[in-house]
Amino acid sequence: MNGDGAPKAGAQGTALLYGAGGVEGVDISALDTLTPREREVLRVLPIGDGNRALARRLGIAERTVKAHLTSITRKLGLRNRVEATLVSVRWAEQLSSGGTCLNRP
């Protein structure tokens, strides 16, 4: 805790989210490696729904959502769903645009 009673931001907590190869290591060009459906799954992650609800929202099987999340984390060098969600928030505008991330208008 810091002097005002709020939790102190520690280097260890930051490392969990922004460690080597984590969220900060994801360049916008890496998003171009994702398929359109993977981009769609990544785009809806910040909603906070579980896999079953995401599957219903996207009209695909829960197992397919899991497969896409596995592929997304592998392609982007992430460790988990939380890091994928942070990437989604960070690059939300680019994920919402239709084409590739590098060829923006």
Side-chain angles (χ1 to χ4, degrees):
M1 298 254 179
N2 63 20
D4 65 358
K8 189 170 27 170
Q12 197 172 35
T14 303
L16 290 174
L17 296 177
Y18 300 107
V23 175
E24 289 298 312
V26 176
D27 186 69
I28 191 169
S29 63
L31 298 179
D32 288 332
T33 65
L34 302 178
T35 67
R37 192 55 129 175
E38 288 168 347
R39 289 170 63 97
E40 188 174 7
V41 170
L42 186 58
R43 189 171 40 249
V44 298
L45 272 181
I47 294 169
D49 288 340
N51 290 345
R52 183 174 296 168
L54 290 176
R56 272 189 250 121
R57 178 182 299 276
L58 297 171
I60 58 179
E62 183 178 358
R63 188 176 190 171
T64 305
V65 170
K66 291 178 184 179
H68 285 316
L69 288 171
T70 298
S71 181
I72 289 165
T73 55
R74 182 182 44 81
K75 287 180 178 180
L76 299 183
L78 303 171
R79 291 179 288 236
N80 54 47
R81 177 190 192 108
V82 172
E83 287 187 350
T85 302
L86 293 172
V87 167
S88 179
V89 170
R90 180 178 183 193
W91 299 115
E93 185 178 326
Q94 290 78 9
L95 286 168
S96 296
S97 66
T100 63
C101 296
L102 294 177
N103 299 322
R104 290 177 278 157

